[in-house]
Amino acid sequence: MTVFDAVVLAGGAARRLGGADKPAVRVGGRALLDRVLGACGDAGRTVVVGPRRPTVRPVTWALEDPPGGGPLAGLHAGLREVRAERVLLLSADLPFLAAGAVRGLVTALDEGAGGVAGAEGAVLVDGDGREQPLVAAYRAEALRRELGLLVAEHGTLVGLPLRMLTGELSLARLPHATASFDCDTWEDISEARARIRDDRHVLDEWISAVKAELGIELDVDTAGLLDLARDAAHGVARPAAPLTTFLVGYAAALRGGGPEAVAEAARVAGALAERWAAEADGKPS
């Protein structure tokens, strides 16, 4: 994976949210900013531009001058803390951004996408075909160059729109309808909360939230554990399902943790559940 840094813009007045602290608004039980930080966990350095607040992992803090000076002023402040040649630029209100989309952006920047070779940036494109420059990866040198030219021309970056910078860059475009969904209004927040509780996503979202809250980075075979819980519930008794999965996790931790330890503990418990059910059915063991 190519080394990159991340700049997350978490300032702004959030006027369409009535002045609420938007990065701290919770979707799926997690602050919007923490959800974004979770998606860019592979960054070498993560710079958050905005007022300091509790975060799920350590970050470097920066402030635009003056505060509330707009996205270009925020980007300029963040770039001062960046060391890598590639920069992921994100807003702090992306509830569905995931690590896979981040990796796709960095890959598109390095390899080109949509026939754009030697791109200076790679931006996500939403379901309506609109470029999202605050869900993008850029070459740091190109950003510094264009920021310098804008300051020379206008004397300031305050209040200038981001498109004045991105419009001068060669951009690869990466379609992704969900990762680019942002939350500007309370209606957007409500929609995001409803999506997360949809039956197709709620379990994955819950597992991700629990792991983030507990500081666990372990990827496990969710389907396998669910099968084990089902077998324990049907073959033994319904309360056996949560207790069995708890004991599997505890046994895996005693064996040093990791996906292999979880898989082995689940295999042993699953075999026991099958034998238990077979006896109940009168089958020979």
Side-chain angles (χ1 to χ4, degrees):
M1 184 65 188
T2 301
V3 175
F4 65 95
D5 288 344
V7 173
V8 182
L9 302 185
R15 293 181 181 86
R16 297 171 70 183
L17 289 177
D21 182 12
K22 181 163 65 169
V25 172
R26 295 185 180 277
V27 172
R30 299 159 62 198
L32 284 170
L33 175 57
D34 283 343
R35 297 182 72 90
V36 173
L37 293 178
C40 61
D42 290 335
R45 169 178 286 207
T46 301
V47 184
V48 179
V49 182
R52 287 178 179 265
R53 49 173 64 85
T55 53
V56 70
R57 64 178 178 86
V59 299
T60 299
W61 293 96
L63 277 175
E64 70 269 40
D65 185 20
L72 288 181
L75 173 58
H76 185 256
L79 278 177
R80 289 199 295 265
E81 305 295 336
V82 162
R83 303 291 181 266
E85 295 179 359
R86 296 156 184 81
V87 182
L88 186 72
L89 178 61
L90 303 170
S91 60
D93 61 350
L94 303 165
F96 303 116
L97 182 68
V102 167
R103 289 191 289 268
L105 283 169
V106 177
T107 298
L109 177 61
D110 286 343
E111 300 178 1
V116 180
E120 295 173 307
V123 299
L124 281 194
V125 177
D126 67 19
D128 295 323
R130 295 172 298 194
E131 294 179 358
Q132 302 297 320
L134 289 179
V135 197
Y138 299 98
R139 301 196 184 280
E141 180 182 358
L143 293 179
R144 293 188 176 103
R145 180 194 71 219
E146 294 303 323
L147 287 172
L149 291 173
L150 286 171
V151 170
E153 181 178 356
H154 299 277
T156 182
L157 297 171
V158 175
L160 298 183
L162 189 58
R163 66 177 177 272
M164 294 185 69
L165 182 149
T166 56
E168 301 299 322
L169 300 178
S170 171
L171 298 176
R173 305 167 84 245
L174 188 67
H176 202 307
T178 53
S180 59
F181 181 93
D182 58 0
C183 294
D184 290 327
T185 67
W186 286 114
E187 288 76 14
D188 295 334
I189 297 291
S190 296
E191 180 179 347
R193 288 170 171 169
R195 282 195 196 183
I196 279 176
R197 284 164 173 77
D198 183 276
D199 288 343
R200 294 169 296 174
H201 309 295
V202 65
L203 186 58
D204 288 339
E205 286 287 347
W206 171 249
I207 295 299
S208 296
V210 171
K211 290 196 296 185
E213 202 72 12
L214 296 177
I216 298 172
E217 297 182 4
L218 178 67
D219 288 328
V220 297
D221 181 5
T222 302
L225 289 177
L226 288 174
D227 287 343
L228 170 61
R230 179 202 62 206
D231 292 343
H234 291 171
V236 184
R238 293 186 67 85
L243 291 172
T244 302
T245 52
F246 164 77
L247 291 172
V248 163
Y250 186 76
L254 290 178
R255 290 166 173 77
E260 295 81 6
V262 174
E264 176 60 16
R267 184 194 66 77
V268 171
L272 175 61
E274 290 178 2
R275 296 195 301 270
W276 190 289
E279 289 182 14
D281 292 338
K283 299 178 181 177
S285 59

